[in-house]
Amino acid sequence: MKKTLLLVALIFATTFSAFADKGMWLPSLISSRIKDMKSKGFKLSAEDIYSINKASLKDAVVLFDGGCTGEIVSEKGLLITNHHCGYDAIQALSTVEHDYLTDGFWAMNHTEELRCPGLKVHILVRMEEVTERIAKGESKEQIIAKAEAEGKGFRAKVESMYYGNIAYLFIYREFSDVRLVGTPPTAIGKFGADNDNWIWPRHTGDFSVFRIYANENNEPAEYSASNKPYTPARHFKVSTQGVKEGDFTMIYGFPGNTQEYITSDAVKYIAELSDPTKIDLRTQRLDIIGAAQSQSVETRIKYAAKQANIANAWKKWQGEVLGINRLGTYTKKLSYENRFRKENPDKAYLLDSLAAAYARNAEGYFNYELYSETIRGIELQQAVYIALSDRTDEEKMAAAELFYKDFVVDVDRALAVAMLTEYEKMGTYISEELKTLFAAHGGAKGYAEWLYDNTKLGTLEEFKAANIAEDPMTEFVMAVQPIAKRVKAYTYRNFSNIPDIERWFRPYVKALMEWDKKRPFFPDANLTLRVAYGKVAGYEYADGEYHLPQTTLEGIIEKDNPEIYDYNVPQALRDAYAKKDYGRWGVTMNGKYTVPVCFIATNHTTGGNSGSPVLNGKGELIGVNFDRTWLSTMSDIEFDETLCRNIICDIRYVLFVIDKVGGAEWLIKEMGL
C-alpha cells in the first residue's frame, strides 16, 4: 500500500510541473491538470470531464469497433467517427451494384439505416484502481467477473499502467446493434488516399455517421427490428463558431499505443531494423494489391479495406523513422540515460539489465514481426482454419461465405510468392517442416507457385467440395505451426512489453519519477480513455516554410481530378463550389468566401484517437480527429510540441457535406442545429 501511494504521489508531483501540450491523461485523475487546462482556455471542471455520480463528457465518448473512437452527438444515439474507422463496415455493405465506398450512402430516416453485423461500440461506465486488490491475491479474472456481473451488457478489462506499477479496472457497456446512417463518397472521406495520408495541408472529410440502438429499456441488446435508438446520458453539443490559431483544444478518446519511456536500445531497433523491414514488406504487398485493384472494380471493392489497413501503418512507419532521425531521438535518449547513470550510480544496473534483456529478445521479437508481416498475411490459410474448426457445418459454411466474399485467389497467390520469398531470406525461426517443403520445390518461390497450382480451396465452390485433410494448403498450415508457437512467446503490444524486458521497466520508470521531478509522467497509451489538450497552431515544416493551421474548400478543388479515383470529388461538391452555395457553413477567411475543411492542433494523439471528439474550452464539438502530420508519427516515442500536430476535420465541413452533398438535413436538425 505504501509503495502504491508513493508512486501516485510522484505522479501528481510531476504532472503539476508539466508545461507543454504533452500527455495522455487518465480522466479519473484529470483534476491534477485542471489548473493548467484552465490557464490555456478550458472553462469546465474536472467533474464535467469525468464523473461516476452524474452525466459527464465521458458518457458521450465511445470505443468504436475495438480500435477507434467516436462521439455521440444527439439524444438518439447518433454517432460520428472517422470514415476510415467505419471503412470495414462500409466495405462489407458494399457491392458492385451498391458501391457505398465510391458513391456514399445517406439514410433519410431511421428505417433506411443499415445494420452492421459484428460492429460494436463500448461506453465507459467507470474506471478504478485495483492495484491493491491484485496485491492481496485477487486475480484479474475475478475482478473482471465481479465487474461484468454488475449490469446487462457490461464488459470489463484490467490494464496496467507504468509497466505494471499500477493497475486499473475499466468497465464498459457493450452495444452490438450499430447501424450505418451516412458516409460520404470515398473521394471525400478518403480524399487523396495514400498520397495525402499523414500529410499537411490536408483536405480529407474523414467522417462517417452511425447510430447506436438499444432495447426498450435502453440497455445493450443484439440486433432486433424492435430496438430503439439509444438515449445517452450525455451527448456533445456541436459548435459552428470555428477556430483560430491559439484556441484551446481538447481530445477525449482511446489512444492505442505509445512508448514514452523506452530506452535508446528500443529506439535503435525501431528506427534501424523493425520499421525499415516492415516498410519494405508492406510496399511489396501494396504494389501487388494495387495492381490487381486497377484491373477490376470488383477486386478494388473486395480489397479496399485490406489495402487501407496495410497502407496506414506503412506510411506511418516511414514518418516515424524520419521524425526520429530529425529529432535525434536516439542520441537524446542515450544522453538522458547517461545523465541518469551519473546522478544515480546505485541504479545504473537498471539500464544495464534493460540493455541485456533487449539483446536477449531481439531475434525472437524480430521473427515475430517478420512472421506477422509475411506468413500471417497469406489469407487462404483461413479456409483451412474454418474447415478444421469445431463449429457446426452450418457455421462453417457461413464463415466460409464471409471469407470468400472478399477474397481473390490470384491476388493471394502473388502475395504468398512474395512474402514466402522474403521470409526465406530473413527468417531464422523457419520450421524443419517448412524447410523441407521449400527444398522440395527449389526454394520458397517455387513452393508457393506449386502450392497455389495444387490447392483446391481457391473459391467457395472448391471449398465446399475439397478434401481438407489432403489439400496442400493444410500441409502448409501444419508446417508453419511450429513457427507460430515459437513466436507466440514474443506476441506483445511492443518489444518493451515482453515480460523479460518489462520486469526491468517497472523499477526503472519508478526511479525516473523519483529522479526527474520536472518531467510530466503519464501512462503510455493502451486503448483506454484519455484526455489530451493543446491549442490550434501552425508550425514550421522546414526552413522558411510555415504551415498555416487551417485548410479550405479551395484546396479540394485545386486537387480535384476526375481521372484519379481518390481525387475525383462528387459533382455535388463541384456544383456547390461553382455556385458558392455553402449555406450556413460558408465563412469569410483571408478575404475569401469559403468552407473550412481541416485544422491542426498540438494535442498528443496516436492510433486509436482516430474519430476522437475535438472540443473547445466549453466542451463543445468543433472537429473530428483523424490523423497526425507525417513527422509527428514519432510522437509515439517522443512528443515535440514545436513539431507534432494532430489533424482534425472541421465540424463545419462535416455538416456542409451532410447537408450539401448528402442532402441529409434531418441529421443536422437532430444535432440541434
Side-chain angles (χ1 to χ4, degrees):
M1 177 69 78
K2 290 181 179 179
K3 290 181 179 179
T4 301
L5 291 174
L6 174 60
L7 184 62
V8 172
L10 287 168
I11 292 169
F12 280 123
T14 54
T15 56
F16 276 123
S17 66
F19 57 86
D21 295 336
K22 176 181 182 177
M24 299 173 175
W25 308 98
L26 291 169
S28 63
L29 301 178
I30 200 62
S31 58
S32 70
R33 306 301 306 167
I34 285 296
K35 182 178 180 181
D36 188 52
M37 293 173 71
K38 288 190 173 183
S39 73
K40 295 177 178 178
F42 189 59
K43 307 297 183 184
L44 304 179
S45 68
E47 188 81 354
D48 291 317
I49 294 174
Y50 177 90
S51 175
I52 58 174
N53 300 310
K54 67 175 186 177
S56 59
L57 295 179
K58 80 167 174 63
D59 298 304
V61 186
V62 310
L63 176 61
F64 185 88
D65 202 23
C68 284
T69 304
E71 50 270 10
I72 302 173
V73 292
S74 84
E75 295 177 348
K76 296 181 178 180
L78 194 67
L79 182 154
I80 297 177
T81 187
N82 284 159
H83 179 269
H84 78 260
C85 292
Y87 202 73
D88 286 358
I90 299 164
Q91 185 272 328
L93 293 168
S94 295
T95 63
V96 174
E97 294 75 25
H98 299 287
D99 187 356
Y100 301 134
L101 290 175
T102 299
D103 303 327
F105 167 80
W106 300 98
M108 293 302 161
N109 53 59
H110 292 313
T111 62
E112 293 183 359
E113 296 171 358
L114 301 178
R115 179 191 177 193
C116 300
L119 179 59
K120 297 178 181 180
V121 302
H122 296 79
I123 301 175
L124 184 68
V125 177
R126 71 175 188 276
M127 58 177 292
E128 62 184 64
E129 189 186 342
V130 292
T131 314
E132 295 307 318
R133 288 173 64 181
I134 293 173
K136 290 177 180 178
E138 194 171 2
S139 71
K140 291 182 179 180
E141 290 75 19
Q142 289 172 323
I143 293 171
I144 289 171
K146 288 179 183 177
E148 292 186 345
E150 291 182 17
K152 181 178 174 59
F154 276 27
R155 298 291 181 267
K157 62 179 180 178
V158 173
E159 295 284 358
S160 67
M161 308 288 170
Y162 304 102
Y163 290 92
N165 278 295
I166 298 178
Y168 272 88
L169 168 69
F170 294 84
I171 306 174
Y172 303 88
R173 285 188 179 91
E174 178 183 87
F175 293 85
S176 55
D177 187 354
V178 184
R179 307 181 195 181
L180 177 65
V181 178
T183 176
T186 292
I188 289 179
K190 199 182 174 189
F191 183 75
D194 295 338
N195 190 56
D196 283 12
N197 195 18
W198 305 102
I199 297 298
W200 184 261
R202 195 70 174 276
H203 303 88
T204 306
D206 197 345
F207 78 94
S208 53
V209 186
F210 293 80
R211 190 183 303 279
I212 306 169
Y213 279 76
N215 65 17
E216 60 183 6
N217 298 318
N218 204 41
E219 297 170 326
E222 293 298 321
Y223 170 82
S224 171
S226 64
N227 284 347
K228 307 293 183 183
Y230 169 65
T231 302
R234 180 78 174 258
H235 70 276
F236 288 111
K237 179 182 178 182
V238 175
S239 171
T240 59
Q241 295 303 304
V243 298
K244 64 182 184 299
E245 191 150 14
D247 281 356
F248 175 89
T249 57
M250 171 179 146
I251 294 273
Y252 210 167
F254 292 87
N257 184 38
T258 58
Q259 303 180 71
E260 177 75 14
Y261 308 108
I262 59 172
T263 63
S264 56
D265 305 281
V267 173
K268 187 173 185 178
Y269 171 81
I270 291 166
E272 296 183 7
L273 180 59
S274 177
D275 280 3
T277 300
K278 292 183 293 188
I279 291 165
D280 177 63
L281 292 170
R282 291 204 175 193
T283 299
Q284 295 183 51
R285 292 166 69 190
L286 289 168
D287 287 346
I288 290 167
I289 292 172
Q293 287 179 307
S294 69
Q295 299 298 312
S296 165
V297 173
E298 185 178 15
T299 301
R300 175 178 56 75
I301 294 172
K302 287 185 174 185
Y303 279 79
K306 298 172 188 176
Q307 188 273 348
N309 289 334
I310 295 168
N312 193 49
W314 166 75
K315 195 165 184 179
K316 182 258 187 184
W317 290 326
Q318 295 176 58
E320 185 170 73
V321 172
L322 287 172
I324 287 172
N325 291 336
R326 177 170 176 169
L327 288 177
T329 303
Y330 172 76
T331 301
K332 283 195 281 188
K333 285 273 188 184
L334 199 59
S335 176
Y336 185 78
E337 291 157 18
N338 287 337
R339 188 157 62 89
F340 176 83
R341 286 177 181 277
K342 182 178 180 180
E343 297 178 18
N344 302 274
D346 59 323
K347 295 177 181 176
Y349 76 94
L350 293 172
L351 284 168
D352 294 334
S353 299
L354 278 166
Y358 276 122
R360 281 194 302 273
N361 292 279
E363 181 185 15
Y365 194 74
F366 178 73
N367 271 274
Y368 156 67
E369 292 196 295
L370 183 63
Y371 171 81
S372 299
E373 293 294 326
T374 55
I375 292 175
R376 280 184 60 185
I378 299 172
E379 288 191 278
L380 198 49
Q381 295 175 88
Q382 293 183 41
V384 176
Y385 288 118
I386 291 170
L388 298 180
S389 69
D390 57 3
R391 307 177 198 180
T392 65
D393 290 343
E394 184 178 345
E395 290 171 338
K396 288 179 182 180
M397 196 51 58
E401 288 174 355
L402 186 63
F403 167 69
Y404 282 104
K405 174 183 176 291
D406 294 323
F407 177 78
V408 178
V409 67
D410 288 342
V411 177
D412 204 52
R413 176 194 186 107
L415 290 169
V417 169
M419 292 301 98
L420 286 180
T421 299
E422 292 298 326
Y423 186 78
E424 184 181 37
K425 290 179 186 175
M426 292 184 281
T428 58
Y429 279 14
I430 302 178
S431 65
E432 291 302 318
E433 294 88 340
L434 194 57
K435 286 180 182 178
T436 300
L437 291 174
F438 286 173
H441 297 89
K445 182 178 184 298
Y447 169 67
E449 296 281 9
W450 175 87
L451 178 61
Y452 280 77
D453 282 342
N454 289 274
T455 184
K456 302 301 182 186
L457 299 175
T459 66
L460 180 61
E461 290 69 29
E462 287 184 309
F463 174 85
K464 292 176 180 178
N467 183 338
I468 295 295
E470 296 182 2
D471 196 274
M473 187 57 66
T474 302
E475 181 182 41
F476 171 67
V477 168
M478 296 301 128
V480 301
Q481 286 307 299
I483 307 172
K485 290 178 180 178
R486 194 173 180 189
V487 300
K488 187 177 181 180
Y490 300 94
T491 308
Y492 290 90
R493 182 187 299 273
N494 297 302
F495 189 13
S496 303
N497 296 120
I498 294 171
D500 185 39
I501 299 173
E502 187 173 83
R503 63 190 281 258
W504 293 108
F505 265 109
R506 293 190 192 108
Y508 175 61
V509 170
K510 183 175 179 293
L512 290 182
M513 290 177 175
E514 294 169 346
W515 168 62
D516 193 348
K517 302 294 193 217
K518 294 183 179 180
R519 181 175 180 176
F521 285 93
F522 51 90
D524 275 324
N526 55 6
L527 209 63
T528 56
L529 191 59
R530 305 294 180 91
V531 172
Y533 60 94
K535 62 185 177 183
V536 177
Y539 72 111
E540 187 175 11
Y541 176 76
D543 183 39
E545 183 178 343
Y546 186 81
H547 283 187
L548 297 172
Q550 181 93 57
T551 60
T552 65
L553 188 59
E554 276 70 20
I556 294 175
I557 299 303
E558 288 172 5
K559 294 179 180 179
D560 178 27
N561 188 337
E563 296 181 1
I564 302 177
Y565 178 79
D566 297 315
Y567 290 102
N568 182 17
V569 300
Q571 189 60 42
L573 187 63
R574 297 187 186 108
D575 292 343
Y577 174 77
K579 299 174 184 177
K580 296 295 184 284
D581 180 19
Y582 303 152
R584 48 182 161 161
W585 322 116
V587 299
T588 299
M589 296 178 60
N590 300 320
K592 62 185 178 185
Y593 184 59
T594 187
V595 178
V597 175
C598 297
F599 64 95
I600 51 176
T602 61
N603 304 108
H604 194 170
T605 64
T606 187
N609 277 126
S610 292
S612 293
V614 182
L615 311 174
N616 62 17
K618 299 177 183 178
E620 299 168 332
L621 185 67
I622 56 175
V624 185
N625 187 76
F626 71 94
D627 208 351
R628 285 172 285 172
T629 57
W630 203 17
L631 297 183
S632 300
T633 57
M634 84 298 179
S635 65
D636 291 350
I637 297 167
E638 179 184 2
F639 182 89
D640 185 323
E641 65 273 14
T642 65
L643 186 63
C644 293
R645 297 291 181 271
N646 59 303
I647 306 178
I648 304 146
C649 186
D650 196 306
I651 197 64
R652 292 170 292 178
Y653 184 57
V654 172
L655 299 169
F656 166 76
V657 172
I658 291 173
D659 185 9
K660 296 299 182 178
V661 177
E665 188 178 8
W666 73 289
L667 298 176
I668 296 171
K669 291 180 179 178
E670 184 180 326
M671 294 180 215
L673 297 171

